[in-house]
Amino acid sequence: MSFLRISRENFFYNLNQIARKTQSIDRVALVLKDNAYGHGLTLMADLAAEAGVRHAVVRTLAEAEAVRGRFETVLVLSEIPEKVPENGVRVVVNDRSCIATMPAGCEVELKVDTGMHRNGVALDEVDAALEAIAKRGLALKGVLTHYRGADEMGSDYFWQRRRFEALRDRLERAGLKGVRWHSHNSASLFRCGSFEEDVARVGIAAYGCLRLPEPFEAPDLRPVASLWAKRLATRRLCAGARVGYGGEGELKEAGTVSTYDIGYGDGWLRGDARRPYRLPDGREILGRVSMDMFSLRGEDEKVCLFHDAGEAAAQFGTIAYEVLVRLSPHIRRVAV
Ligand SMILES: *Cc1c(COP(=O)(O)O)cnc(C)c1O
C-alpha cells in the first residue's frame, strides 16, 4: 500500500528552528488542524508532545478530543461546543453572535478582526464582546488575530499588526490581565523581527513547507512528509501503445510500464495529462491519473511522488497546504 513517510528528524529540526525564533518551545502553539495538515493527527500530536510542545491548535472539538491530554492547552478554531469541553480545551469566539450560544464556564479566546475580514469581532465591537463574554460566564483566556497577507509583499501585515498592538495596549491599560495574546502564523513569525507575543500559531513551518517570496529571508526548514506509492502491475508495451483512460499516455518507444497505487481517490491531484506531473526522479506520470492508480515507465517496487509538497504544489499551480491536506487519512503514515 501507498504510504506517507514522516521524518521525525525533520519535524524536530523545524520545531527547533521555530523555538529559536519564539525564544522558547513554550511559546509554540502547533497547528494540528485538518489531520495535522495531512500528516496524521495523533502521530504528529505524539511527536510534538515528545518534542516538548505544550500548546496545540485544532479546527474541531473532535480533533481536540483526539489530542487532548498531551498538551496544556488545545485551542479549537471553528466549532461551538454544546457543553463545557474537557480540561485544557478552549474555543475561539469568531463572532459576537457565538457568545450567547456558548455554555457558561467554557474557556474562550476572542478573535479580533484587524483587517482580514474573515473571522473575528470588529475592533470597535471588542468592548461589547468582552462585556458579553463576562456576562455569559465564559472564561476569557486569550485574544488573537490573523493576518491576511503575511506571506506576501506589502504593508498589510504591518498595518494589521499595529492595530492589534494598539488594542493590546488599550485593553491592558484598562486592566485586562491573565490572557495570552497571539497574532502570528508561520509566515509572520519569520517576518516579525523579534517575537514578543505569548505564543505563535505555527502550522506550515513545522511541516517544513513554508515559502516566503523574495526578498524575505527563507527560514531553514525541512519538509517532513514524503509520499510513496507501491507497484501493482507491470507490462511490456510497444511503441505507440497508449496507456490509461482515453489512451492519453502514448509511448514514443517500446518499454516497461508499471501501475502504482495512488490516484485522485487518495487525494492526489488528478491534474492534466497533457502537462504530466514530474516525479522527483524526473519521470513523468504516463497518461491520466485514475481514481486509485497512475502509470509510469519502469518497474521499481515503490516510487516517490514528492519529497517536498511545495514542489509538487508548484507543478499543480497550488500551495503545499492543499496538496497535503487532501491526502486521504487512509494512506498509511509511517514515522521514521
Ligand atoms: C491555519 C491557521 C494558522 C497556521 O497557519 P500557517 O500558515 O500554517 O502557519 C494560524 N492561525 C489560524 C487562525 C489558522 O487558521
Side-chain angles (χ1 to χ4, degrees):
M1 284 291 281
S2 60
F3 63 100
L4 195 65
R5 179 187 282 168
I6 302 296
S7 164
R8 294 165 55 95
E9 191 184 328
N10 288 2
F11 184 54
F12 293 158
Y13 181 85
N14 297 340
L15 287 176
N16 196 43
Q17 294 295 96
I18 292 160
R20 279 173 56 177
K21 187 74 200 184
T22 60
Q23 297 146 51
S24 165
I25 192 79
D26 296 348
R27 297 209 279 175
V28 176
L30 180 67
V31 182
L32 290 165
K33 66 189 179 192
D34 291 86
N35 201 24
Y37 290 45
H39 290 63
L41 178 61
T42 53
L43 170 64
M44 298 314 287
D46 284 339
L47 292 178
E50 193 183 324
V53 172
R54 293 161 63 182
H55 305 284
V57 179
V58 297
R59 178 181 180 186
T60 64
L61 290 159
E63 287 174 339
E65 189 51 36
V67 304
R68 174 179 79 73
R70 300 172 183 81
F71 304 104
E72 266 164 49
T73 72
V74 180
L75 180 63
V76 176
L77 288 173
S78 9
E79 193 175 351
I80 295 173
E82 277 167 15
K83 54 183 178 53
V84 176
E86 300 289 336
N87 221 0
V89 178
R90 40 177 78 172
V91 185
V92 171
V93 172
N94 283 306
D95 192 77
R96 260 173 83 185
S97 66
C98 308
I99 297 168
T101 67
M102 289 202 182
C106 188
E107 296 190 345
V108 298
E109 299 203 14
L110 179 65
K111 180 100 152 253
V112 177
D113 178 10
T114 51
M116 185 171 180
H117 306 323
R118 183 179 69 171
N119 269 328
V121 170
L123 284 167
D124 60 4
E125 292 186 340
V126 167
D127 290 333
L130 291 174
E131 217 169 279
I133 285 170
K135 214 155 146 204
R136 180 79 190 169
L138 308 176
L140 182 73
K141 294 290 181 180
V143 181
L144 66 148
T145 195
H146 195 51
Y147 298 113
R148 71 179 180 195
D151 56 354
E152 288 167 23
M153 275 303 282
S155 58
D156 288 4
Y157 161 64
F158 298 102
W159 163 67
Q160 283 190 262
R161 192 172 153 190
R162 197 150 307 149
R163 296 176 92 182
F164 190 62
E165 285 166 357
L167 176 72
R168 180 175 184 168
D169 268 4
R170 182 172 74 73
L171 292 180
E172 285 185 340
R173 249 183 280 126
L176 184 65
K177 280 199 291 277
V179 302
R180 64 179 194 180
W181 290 81
H182 48 111
S183 66
H184 294 295
N185 63 355
S186 298
S188 62
L189 174 66
F190 283 99
R191 236 186 117 174
C192 76
S194 79
F195 176 77
E196 273 154 17
E197 294 186 338
D198 298 313
V199 287
R201 303 182 307 270
V202 176
I204 201 74
Y207 306 107
C209 294
L210 173 65
R211 295 223 166 163
L212 292 178
E214 305 263 0
F216 300 128
E217 202 180 312
D220 174 23
L221 301 166
R222 301 174 179 167
V224 171
S226 59
L227 180 63
W228 295 76
K230 288 228 169 117
R231 192 177 64 85
L232 292 169
T234 297
R235 67 208 69 250
R236 293 273 311 163
L237 294 171
C238 53
R242 292 160 54 205
V243 175
Y245 284 118
E248 249 187 288
E250 185 168 341
L251 289 184
K252 296 208 176 63
E253 297 155 29
T256 305
V257 171
S258 297
T259 308
Y260 292 90
D261 64 351
I262 284 181
Y264 61 83
D266 301 294
W268 180 249
L269 283 89
R270 181 167 172 273
D272 178 352
R274 287 160 298 182
R275 289 186 291 116
Y277 180 77
R278 187 179 291 273
L279 274 55
D281 68 12
R283 281 182 288 171
E284 288 181 347
I285 286 182
L286 191 58
R288 288 183 203 163
V289 170
S290 302
M291 189 182 293
D292 301 322
M293 357 185 184
F294 67 88
S295 297
L296 199 64
R297 275 180 171 277
E299 52 190 322
D300 310 61
E301 273 309 311
K302 57 179 193 208
V303 293
C304 180
L305 280 156
F306 65 73
H307 292 297
D308 176 354
E311 280 171 16
Q315 292 195 45
F316 290 112
T318 183
I319 52 177
Y321 301 73
E322 190 188 8
V323 169
L324 288 167
V325 300
R326 288 170 54 99
L327 295 175
S328 162
H330 305 302
I331 297 174
R332 228 167 10 113
R333 271 73 175 165
V334 187
V336 293

CSV table of all heavy atoms in Angstrom, one decimal, residues 31 33 37 77 111 118 144 146 184-187 201-205 321, ligand 1:
chain,number,residue,atom,x,y,z
A,31,VAL,N,-0.2,24.0,15.1
A,31,VAL,CA,-1.5,23.9,14.5
A,31,VAL,C,-1.6,22.5,13.9
A,31,VAL,O,-0.8,22.1,13.1
A,31,VAL,CB,-1.6,25.0,13.4
A,31,VAL,CG1,-3.0,24.8,12.8
A,31,VAL,CG2,-1.5,26.4,14.0
A,33,LYS,N,-4.6,21.3,12.8
A,33,LYS,CA,-5.9,21.1,12.2
A,33,LYS,C,-5.9,20.3,10.9
A,33,LYS,O,-4.8,20.1,10.3
A,33,LYS,CB,-6.5,22.5,11.8
A,33,LYS,CG,-5.7,23.3,10.8
A,33,LYS,CD,-6.1,24.7,10.7
A,33,LYS,CE,-5.3,25.5,9.7
A,33,LYS,NZ,-5.5,26.9,9.7
A,37,TYR,N,-2.4,18.9,8.9
A,37,TYR,CA,-2.0,19.2,7.5
A,37,TYR,C,-1.7,18.0,6.7
A,37,TYR,O,-0.8,17.9,5.9
A,37,TYR,CB,-0.8,20.2,7.5
A,37,TYR,CG,-1.0,21.6,8.0
A,37,TYR,CD1,-1.7,21.8,9.1
A,37,TYR,CD2,-0.5,22.7,7.3
A,37,TYR,CE1,-1.9,23.1,9.6
A,37,TYR,CE2,-0.7,24.0,7.7
A,37,TYR,CZ,-1.4,24.2,8.9
A,37,TYR,OH,-1.6,25.5,9.3
A,77,LEU,N,-10.5,26.2,16.7
A,77,LEU,CA,-10.7,27.4,15.9
A,77,LEU,C,-12.1,27.6,15.4
A,77,LEU,O,-12.5,28.7,15.3
A,77,LEU,CB,-9.8,27.3,14.6
A,77,LEU,CG,-8.3,27.4,14.8
A,77,LEU,CD1,-7.5,27.2,13.5
A,77,LEU,CD2,-7.9,28.8,15.4
A,111,LYS,N,-11.3,36.2,19.0
A,111,LYS,CA,-10.6,36.6,17.8
A,111,LYS,C,-11.1,38.0,17.4
A,111,LYS,O,-12.3,38.3,17.4
A,111,LYS,CB,-11.1,35.6,16.7
A,111,LYS,CG,-10.5,35.8,15.3
A,111,LYS,CD,-9.3,34.9,15.1
A,111,LYS,CE,-9.0,34.5,13.7
A,111,LYS,NZ,-9.4,33.2,13.3
A,118,ARG,N,-12.4,38.0,7.7
A,118,ARG,CA,-12.9,36.7,7.5
A,118,ARG,C,-13.6,36.2,8.8
A,118,ARG,O,-14.8,35.9,8.8
A,118,ARG,CB,-11.8,35.8,7.2
A,118,ARG,CG,-12.2,34.3,6.9
A,118,ARG,CD,-11.0,33.5,6.6
A,118,ARG,NE,-10.1,33.2,7.7
A,118,ARG,CZ,-9.1,32.4,7.7
A,118,ARG,NH1,-8.8,31.6,6.7
A,118,ARG,NH2,-8.3,32.2,8.8
A,144,LEU,N,-6.7,37.0,20.0
A,144,LEU,CA,-5.9,36.7,18.9
A,144,LEU,C,-6.4,37.4,17.6
A,144,LEU,O,-7.5,37.8,17.6
A,144,LEU,CB,-5.9,35.1,18.6
A,144,LEU,CG,-7.2,34.4,18.2
A,144,LEU,CD1,-6.9,33.2,17.3
A,144,LEU,CD2,-7.9,33.9,19.5
A,146,HIS,N,-5.5,37.3,13.0
A,146,HIS,CA,-4.9,36.5,11.9
A,146,HIS,C,-4.6,37.5,10.8
A,146,HIS,O,-5.4,38.4,10.5
A,146,HIS,CB,-5.9,35.4,11.5
A,146,HIS,CG,-5.2,34.3,10.6
A,146,HIS,ND1,-4.1,33.6,11.0
A,146,HIS,CD2,-5.6,33.8,9.4
A,146,HIS,CE1,-3.8,32.7,10.0
A,146,HIS,NE2,-4.7,32.8,9.1
A,184,HIS,N,0.6,35.6,15.3
A,184,HIS,CA,1.5,35.1,14.3
A,184,HIS,C,1.1,33.7,13.8
A,184,HIS,O,0.9,32.8,14.6
A,184,HIS,CB,2.9,35.1,14.7
A,184,HIS,CG,3.4,36.5,15.0
A,184,HIS,ND1,3.6,37.4,14.0
A,184,HIS,CD2,3.8,37.2,16.1
A,184,HIS,CE1,4.0,38.6,14.5
A,184,HIS,NE2,4.2,38.4,15.7
A,185,ASN,N,1.2,33.6,12.5
A,185,ASN,CA,1.2,32.2,11.9
A,185,ASN,C,2.7,32.0,11.5
A,185,ASN,O,3.6,32.8,11.8
A,185,ASN,CB,0.2,32.1,10.7
A,185,ASN,CG,0.6,33.1,9.6
A,185,ASN,OD1,1.5,33.9,9.7
A,185,ASN,ND2,-0.2,33.0,8.5
A,186,SER,N,2.9,31.0,10.6
A,186,SER,CA,4.3,30.7,10.3
A,186,SER,C,5.0,31.9,9.6
A,186,SER,O,6.1,32.3,10.0
A,186,SER,CB,4.4,29.5,9.3
A,186,SER,OG,3.8,28.4,10.0
A,187,ALA,N,4.3,32.4,8.5
A,187,ALA,CA,5.0,33.4,7.7
A,187,ALA,C,5.3,34.7,8.6
A,187,ALA,O,6.4,35.2,8.5
A,187,ALA,CB,4.1,33.8,6.5
A,201,ARG,N,1.1,30.7,16.5
A,201,ARG,CA,0.3,29.6,16.0
A,201,ARG,C,1.0,29.1,14.7
A,201,ARG,O,0.8,29.7,13.6
A,201,ARG,CB,-1.1,30.0,15.7
A,201,ARG,CG,-1.9,30.6,16.8
A,201,ARG,CD,-3.3,30.9,16.4
A,201,ARG,NE,-3.4,31.7,15.3
A,201,ARG,CZ,-3.4,33.1,15.3
A,201,ARG,NH1,-3.4,33.7,16.4
A,201,ARG,NH2,-3.5,33.7,14.1
A,202,VAL,N,1.8,28.1,14.8
A,202,VAL,CA,2.6,27.7,13.7
A,202,VAL,C,2.1,26.4,13.1
A,202,VAL,O,2.0,25.4,13.8
A,202,VAL,CB,4.1,27.5,14.2
A,202,VAL,CG1,4.9,27.0,13.1
A,202,VAL,CG2,4.6,28.8,14.7
A,203,GLY,N,1.8,26.4,11.8
A,203,GLY,CA,1.4,25.2,11.1
A,203,GLY,C,2.5,24.8,10.0
A,203,GLY,O,3.4,24.1,10.3
A,204,ILE,N,2.4,25.5,8.9
A,204,ILE,CA,3.2,25.0,7.7
A,204,ILE,C,4.7,25.0,7.9
A,204,ILE,O,5.4,24.1,7.4
A,204,ILE,CB,2.8,25.9,6.5
A,204,ILE,CG1,3.1,25.2,5.2
A,204,ILE,CG2,3.4,27.3,6.5
A,204,ILE,CD1,2.2,24.1,4.8
A,205,ALA,N,5.2,25.9,8.8
A,205,ALA,CA,6.6,25.9,9.0
A,205,ALA,C,7.1,24.6,9.7
A,205,ALA,O,8.1,24.1,9.5
A,205,ALA,CB,7.0,27.1,9.8
A,321,TYR,N,-0.1,23.5,1.3
A,321,TYR,CA,-1.2,23.2,2.2
A,321,TYR,C,-2.3,22.3,1.5
A,321,TYR,O,-2.8,21.4,2.0
A,321,TYR,CB,-2.0,24.5,2.6
A,321,TYR,CG,-1.2,25.6,3.3
A,321,TYR,CD1,-0.3,26.4,2.6
A,321,TYR,CD2,-1.5,25.9,4.6
A,321,TYR,CE1,0.3,27.4,3.3
A,321,TYR,CE2,-0.8,26.9,5.3
A,321,TYR,CZ,0.1,27.7,4.6
A,321,TYR,OH,0.7,28.7,5.2
B,1,LIG,C1,-4.2,27.6,9.9
B,1,LIG,C2,-4.0,28.7,10.8
B,1,LIG,C3,-2.8,29.1,11.3
B,1,LIG,C4,-1.5,28.4,10.8
B,1,LIG,O1,-1.1,29.0,9.6
B,1,LIG,P1,0.3,28.5,8.9
B,1,LIG,O2,0.4,29.4,7.8
B,1,LIG,O3,0.2,27.1,8.5
B,1,LIG,O4,1.4,28.7,10.0
B,1,LIG,C5,-2.7,30.1,12.3
B,1,LIG,N1,-3.8,30.7,12.7
B,1,LIG,C6,-5.0,30.4,12.2
B,1,LIG,C7,-6.2,31.2,12.7
B,1,LIG,C8,-5.2,29.5,11.2
B,1,LIG,O5,-6.4,29.2,10.7
